[in-house]
Amino acid sequence: MAVFRYIATDLSGRTVRGKENAEDKDALVKKLRDKGLFCSSFTEESEKVQDAKVKFKTKDLAFFSRQISTMLTSGISLIKALSILINQQEDKKKKALLIEMYDDVQRGKSFSEALISQGNAFPNLFVSMVAAGESSGNLDHIMKRLSSHYDKENKTSNKIKSAMSYPIILGIIMLVIVVALFAFVMPSFASMFSNPDDIPAFTAFLLSVSDSMVHYPYIYIGVIAAIVLLIKFLKKVPGIKLWWDRTKVRIPKAGKLICTIYTSRFAHTMSNLFSSGMPMVECIQKSEQVLGNSYISQEFVTVIENVKQGESFSTALGRTGIFDPVFVSVVLVGEESGTLDEILDKTADYYDDEADTAIDRLTAMLQPAMILIMGVLVCAILLAIYPAMYQAMGNIA
């Protein structure tokens, strides 16, 4: 979405200057014409809307949508609803953002345009559904669906965080134990060898690691920091990100569980977008973007092209091999019966339960793996210590 500064003439011949968000110059001219303005010149201010100072999280989006929906259903105008939310908001940055939106709507901008003006504070899905709700005149209903959608997203996110807390704690404990063994236990056994030449190679290696950890800890801290930064950098490299996203969905057993979680999110998003009256192709594009997987996005390029050429969505979807065949069959039934939005909504509820089970299984797979790694490390240290203990006992004897 680009930002354009324009000079236009209204119906009375008065010159109007302003700033507008639009996909391209043709969209800008059309937007201005719809407002009764005739563009005489324009300049593109920046390629993209600047990043917002604050982003609304799924919890905030669920609350925001629920409040707007309730007030609109009660007959309160959108401007009044935004005013009430401003008074309720305690966070200064979010309050400033809502005030800007309130001013934009008062000046005649649509709600969706006011959201776009805030950069990436609101996700594309949220903005698209609001725009669709405004076009159909069902903004209150759309806001209710958005509230339900983000409420489920928040619950899923919290469940993943909760499920991952135990493996993370276990990993921290494992790290502390290993560091303690190398820093405090291993050095005390080095003095038990009367002749350094008698130290086994493996024991000598671990003793050298222990010695360097005690005397040069900053080297290890630097290496760990470098690895973290490298991983962050590599995640931004398109080719590596594509490889990792492809690998995730192809890992035996775990890949199938990850795809189940993707199916749940895709079904919910597709159902909400399609029920709002959005065209099928646009629904597909925005639904796959929610998954945040570059490999799936690459596969969906072909899906979208095939749908544009007249192929059924279920056929194009099944060819990717990403989603469960049962889900593809459900989509086919929805297309043939003309109730795709309703069927997707019900199917999404089913896959919600499946996603919860998938999260539990993924966590259950991580725990024994981490325990095994910790056991191997402790065993390696014990194998290095035993020769020193035997030699010490031999010297005592």
Side-chain angles (χ1 to χ4, degrees):
M1 183 70 68
V3 181
F4 294 92
R5 288 192 177 275
Y6 64 85
I7 301 175
T9 307
D10 62 13
L11 295 174
S12 62
R14 186 170 58 91
T15 301
V16 179
R17 299 172 185 270
K19 188 164 63 172
E20 187 66 62
N21 302 314
E23 294 289 344
D24 51 37
K25 61 180 182 180
D26 294 330
L28 172 68
V29 172
K30 185 177 183 304
K31 271 191 173 184
L32 294 177
R33 191 182 294 122
D34 291 341
K35 294 179 179 180
L37 298 174
F38 299 92
C39 184
S40 55
S41 66
F42 64 86
T43 55
E44 189 173 345
E45 189 176 73
S46 60
E47 292 184 356
K48 292 185 177 180
V49 178
Q50 292 182 350
D51 287 347
K53 295 178 181 179
V54 61
K55 286 186 180 181
F56 279 70
K57 298 179 181 179
T58 51
K59 183 181 179 180
D60 301 321
L61 291 169
F63 176 78
F64 182 77
S65 305
R66 190 183 307 112
Q67 293 291 89
I68 292 286
S69 172
T70 302
M71 287 187 275
L72 291 178
T73 305
S74 303
I76 298 173
S77 67
L78 178 62
I79 292 178
K80 182 62 176 175
L82 288 172
S83 176
I84 293 170
L85 285 174
I86 289 169
N87 293 329
Q88 290 179 345
Q89 185 58 248
E90 296 180 356
D91 187 287
K92 291 182 179 180
K93 290 183 178 180
K94 290 177 183 176
K95 189 169 187 174
L97 184 146
L98 290 173
I99 291 172
E100 289 181 15
M101 288 172 54
Y102 174 82
D103 292 338
D104 286 342
V105 174
Q106 272 203 324
R107 284 195 291 263
K109 280 190 175 183
S110 66
F111 188 29
S112 57
E113 288 176 330
L115 293 170
I116 292 171
S117 298
Q118 299 307 318
N120 57 357
F122 297 89
N124 289 332
L125 171 66
F126 188 91
V127 177
S128 298
M129 286 196 66
V130 167
E134 288 176 317
S135 301
S136 63
N138 295 320
L139 184 58
D140 56 339
H141 177 67
I142 292 299
M143 295 305 292
K144 186 176 181 180
R145 292 188 73 95
L146 279 170
S147 171
S148 175
H149 172 79
Y150 283 110
D151 193 39
K152 289 176 181 176
E153 283 281 307
N154 186 51
K155 286 179 180 177
T156 302
S157 177
N158 288 339
K159 187 170 180 62
I160 291 173
K161 289 177 182 177
S162 176
M164 288 301 296
S165 60
Y166 179 71
I168 290 171
I169 293 171
L170 191 62
I172 293 171
I173 292 172
M174 178 181 73
L175 182 63
V176 169
I177 290 173
V178 171
V179 170
L181 286 171
F182 272 100
F184 302 107
V185 178
M186 288 289 290
S188 62
F189 283 91
S191 58
M192 293 185 178
F193 290 97
S194 55
N195 186 0
D197 295 333
D198 295 335
I199 302 176
F202 182 66
T203 304
F205 169 72
L206 291 186
L207 285 173
S208 64
V209 171
S210 172
D211 184 67
S212 62
M213 191 176 288
V214 172
H215 294 94
Y216 310 105
Y218 53 85
I219 295 177
Y220 291 89
I221 295 171
V223 169
I224 292 170
I227 291 171
V228 171
L229 292 174
L230 180 63
I231 291 171
K232 286 186 175 181
F233 170 75
L234 292 176
K235 285 172 70 176
K236 294 179 181 179
V237 177
I240 294 175
K241 188 177 188 304
L242 177 64
W243 170 82
W244 173 240
D245 287 341
R246 186 195 301 118
T247 303
K248 278 195 296 187
V249 299
R250 291 183 176 179
I251 299 172
K253 292 187 179 181
K256 187 177 180 181
L257 298 175
I258 291 170
C259 286
T260 301
I261 298 171
Y262 283 156
T263 303
S264 172
R265 296 179 67 186
F266 182 84
H268 268 301
T269 309
M270 189 74 187
S271 170
N272 289 327
L273 291 172
F274 196 69
S275 64
S276 68
M278 197 174 291
M280 173 64 83
V281 171
E282 194 173 349
C283 289
I284 298 170
Q285 287 174 329
K286 295 189 181 298
S287 296
E288 66 84 9
Q289 288 171 5
V290 171
L291 304 181
N293 186 297
S294 58
Y295 170 66
I296 294 177
S297 297
Q298 187 183 68
E299 291 294 308
F300 264 79
V301 171
T302 306
V303 171
I304 293 167
E305 285 300 318
N306 290 339
V307 171
K308 284 181 179 179
Q309 293 172 13
E311 187 177 49
S312 68
F313 176 47
S314 56
T315 304
L317 190 68
R319 199 177 289 116
T320 63
I322 296 168
F323 297 96
D324 184 13
V326 175
F327 177 70
V328 177
S329 300
V330 168
V331 172
L332 174 61
V333 172
E335 286 180 312
E336 292 180 345
S337 63
T339 57
L340 183 59
D341 56 336
E342 294 178 11
I343 286 182
L344 280 173
D345 193 35
K346 293 176 182 177
T347 307
D349 291 335
Y350 164 76
Y351 277 101
D352 274 345
D353 295 333
E354 291 294 304
D356 289 343
T357 304
I359 292 168
D360 292 336
R361 287 180 180 175
L362 283 171
T363 309
M365 291 169 65
L366 279 173
Q367 292 173 8
M370 295 188 71
I371 292 171
L372 180 63
I373 293 170
M374 184 167 65
V376 170
L377 289 172
V378 172
C379 182
I381 293 171
L382 290 175
L383 287 174
I385 290 172
Y386 278 146
M389 292 176 64
Y390 285 141
Q391 189 171 103
M393 286 188 290
N395 292 335
I396 294 170

